[in-house]
């Protein structure tokens, strides 16, 4: 029986990269049945709900989703769908492997970068707890708990042990936020003590950003609270060719949602220019997660081959192809 997957195409370039990814996944030989559900700005227009109930009903059955980006208005308007989904489904790990693709010309092409980001996904300044204390004075609450900090630290070290990685760096600002980031660090240290074979280091977030730009090859696994994780993910994406490349996965104990690091890219939406690599690479993670290892390897190798050849790359990574031409090349590479 075909494995059911919830597909949330999302907004902006979401439907374009989702369509490309579904085509590529189908060509990988996996037997999947996509259950399409709408969420985001388009769902709000069509059904009056940002996150309609059928999204949760579908995920309750499938337990696995592939999601395109969704719009979150700046400075006003509705809550982020991602924050709502991650909190409601308890998706406490945001996993983002940042790897250099073969042949891709970037400022760091000569470095074999392979950094994995573990971003805490449920709390910190993303709790959305903001209020006006008195006129013109606003307070935003940063929540850090021992439970969530231990969970993300354990997920990081477990991965390090399983994948035989060498080093975990915890990133913080505990020199200023002594209690909140201090608690995060305390939890990371406590977990690190149970994994003596893995090197453990700590860096203040501003210094970490500089080091990532100057010496990215010295990093291995990063564990961060939510906000620093969000910012450092985009910085790290810039090291390996930009947001068009880097995939992601949100893991909880019962569900997993796979999505790219990038947003809805309103500047190129609807033009057929979006790079679907990041969502395709998210689909590779998804296929491995559901046990379709052969299909995952086939799709990963096809993406790598198209990059190594360099003839059908999209504009964001220095090529001239559109979304469809790149996708056709990936499918051709699997034939
Ligand atoms: P963005 O990631 O959408 O775009 C940043 C830049 O990167 C743009 O120039 C864009 O064209 C480029 N880019 C991103 N993805 C690309 C791709 N696949 N191919 C080629 N170029 C790509 O960031 P933004 O402009 O700050 O945010 C736009 C919207 O996306 C906002 O509403 C934001 O809230 C939302 N967003 C959603 C998610 C998500 O749903 N996971 C993540 C981040 C941002």
């Amino acid at each position: 029986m075909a494995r059911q997957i919830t597909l949330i195409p999302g907004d902006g370039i979401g439907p374009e990269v989702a369509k490309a990814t579904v085509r590529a996944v189908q060509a990988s030989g996996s037997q999947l049945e996509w259950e399409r559900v709408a969420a985001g700005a388009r769902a709000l227009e069509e059904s009056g709900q940002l996150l309609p109930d059928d999204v949760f009903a579908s995920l309750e059955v499938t337990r696995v989703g592939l999601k395109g980006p969704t719009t979150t208005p700046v400075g006003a308007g509705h809550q982020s769908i991602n924050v709502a989904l991650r909190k409601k489904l308890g998706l406490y790990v945001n996993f983002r492997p940042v790897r250099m693709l073969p042949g891709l010309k970037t400022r760091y092409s000569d470095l074999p970068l392979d950094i994995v980001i573990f971003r805490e996904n449920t709390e910190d300044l993303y709790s959305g707890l903001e209020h006006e204390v008195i006129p013109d004075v606003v307070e935003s609450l940063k929540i850090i708990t021992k439970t969530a900090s231990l969970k993300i630290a354990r997920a990081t070290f477990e991965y390090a042990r399983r994948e035989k990685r060498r080093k975990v760096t915890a990133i913080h600002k505990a020199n200023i936020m002594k209690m909140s980031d201090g608690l995060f660090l305390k939890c990371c240290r406590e977990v690190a003590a149970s994994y003596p074979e893995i090197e453990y280091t700590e860096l203040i977030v501003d210094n970490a950003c500089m080091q990532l730009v100057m010496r990215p090859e010295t990093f291995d696994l990063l564990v961060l609270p939510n906000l620093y994780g969000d910012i450092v993910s985009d910085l790290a994406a810039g090291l390996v060719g930009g947001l068009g490349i880097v995939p992601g996965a949100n893991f909880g104990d019962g569900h997993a949602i796979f999505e790219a690091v990038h947003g809805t890219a309103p500047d190129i939406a609807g033009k057929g220019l979006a790079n679907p690599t990041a969502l395709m690479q998210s689909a590779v993670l998804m296929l491995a997660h559901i046990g379709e290892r052969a299909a995952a390897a086939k799709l990963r190798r096809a993406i790598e081959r198209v990059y190594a050849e360099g003839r059908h790359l999209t504009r964001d990574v220095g090529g001239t192809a559109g979304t469809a031409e790149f996708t056709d090349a990936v499918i051709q590479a699997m034939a």
Side-chain angles (χ1 to χ4, degrees):
M1 217 176 78
R3 175 77 161 79
Q4 284 186 318
I5 302 287
T6 302
L7 178 68
I8 308 170
D11 301 317
I13 60 169
E16 299 167 60
V17 292
K19 183 178 166 202
T21 302
V22 166
R23 286 183 60 211
V25 169
Q26 266 159 0
S28 75
S30 63
Q31 298 297 316
L32 300 185
E33 192 183 307
W34 302 97
E35 190 163 299
R36 267 163 220 273
V37 288
R42 190 183 286 186
L44 185 64
E45 270 171 37
E46 287 169 5
S47 68
Q49 272 186 298
L50 262 181
L51 245 180
D53 296 339
D54 60 353
V55 174
F56 293 104
S58 173
L59 284 166
E60 211 34 59
V61 176
T62 63
R63 304 262 153 183
V64 177
L66 184 71
K67 177 184 169 295
T70 40
T71 304
T72 309
V74 174
H78 65 76
Q79 188 201 12
S80 157
I81 292 200
N82 295 313
V83 171
L85 261 178
R86 292 165 188 171
K87 274 169 65 174
K88 188 147 184 191
L89 298 178
L91 303 170
Y92 56 87
V93 177
N94 196 327
F95 169 83
R96 293 170 160 182
V98 180
R99 294 195 184 107
M100 195 65 89
L101 282 164
L104 189 57
K105 297 276 170 290
T106 72
R107 289 173 191 273
Y108 299 90
S109 302
D110 52 335
L111 299 175
L113 297 184
D114 183 0
I115 299 169
V116 185
I117 294 174
F118 285 81
R119 166 187 172 195
E120 200 290 321
N121 222 6
T122 59
E123 54 182 25
D124 192 0
L125 280 161
Y126 287 64
S127 305
L129 300 171
E130 292 188 313
H131 61 266
E132 193 171 44
V133 185
I134 52 169
D136 297 335
V137 179
V138 170
E139 191 171 55
S140 186
L141 298 181
K142 168 162 168 148
I143 309 291
I144 299 283
T145 66
K146 182 176 175 182
T147 307
S149 303
L150 284 175
K151 277 184 169 180
I152 189 72
R154 282 197 198 106
T156 312
F157 278 92
E158 267 308 299
Y159 178 89
R161 180 171 277 171
R162 197 173 64 243
E163 300 295 324
K164 302 195 173 19
R165 305 289 295 227
R166 62 190 160 83
K167 182 165 85 171
V168 171
T169 305
I171 295 179
H172 66 93
K173 189 81 187 175
N175 49 331
I176 306 296
M177 282 159 276
K178 295 175 193 295
M179 288 184 72
S180 52
D181 283 15
L183 175 59
F184 180 79
L185 271 192
K186 189 165 167 273
C187 293
C188 289
R189 287 174 194 163
E190 186 181 318
V191 174
S194 305
Y195 297 80
E197 78 278 19
I198 296 155
E199 185 188 342
Y200 171 68
T201 58
E202 295 169 355
L203 275 182
I204 294 174
V205 62
D206 32 356
N207 180 21
C209 289
M210 191 270 288
Q211 304 272 354
L212 274 163
V213 173
M214 301 282 291
R215 285 177 283 278
E217 73 282 8
T218 62
F219 290 87
D220 191 16
L221 308 188
L222 310 183
V223 57
L224 315 92
N226 208 339
L227 176 63
Y228 312 144
D230 195 0
I231 297 168
V232 169
S233 293
D234 275 35
L235 186 155
L239 303 173
V240 296
L243 286 167
I245 304 292
V246 179
N250 301 279
F251 294 117
D253 292 327
H255 298 83
I257 295 184
F258 296 82
E259 65 176 340
V261 171
H262 66 72
T264 55
D267 50 339
I268 55 165
K271 298 181 179 162
L273 298 176
N275 186 351
T277 305
L279 195 62
M280 284 186 190
Q281 297 214 92
S282 305
V284 170
L285 298 175
M286 182 194 78
L287 288 167
H289 174 78
I290 61 171
E292 295 252 12
R293 298 207 163 265
K298 194 171 172 186
L299 178 53
R300 181 175 49 75
R301 279 197 300 268
I303 294 168
E304 287 175 359
R305 195 180 315 159
V306 172
Y307 273 87
E309 287 171 1
R311 284 186 291 121
H312 301 286
L313 302 184
T314 49
R315 294 177 189 203
D316 57 308
V317 288
T320 54
T323 313
E325 181 185 330
F326 172 82
T327 308
D328 290 343
V330 170
I331 292 169
Q332 190 62 38
M334 284 187 277

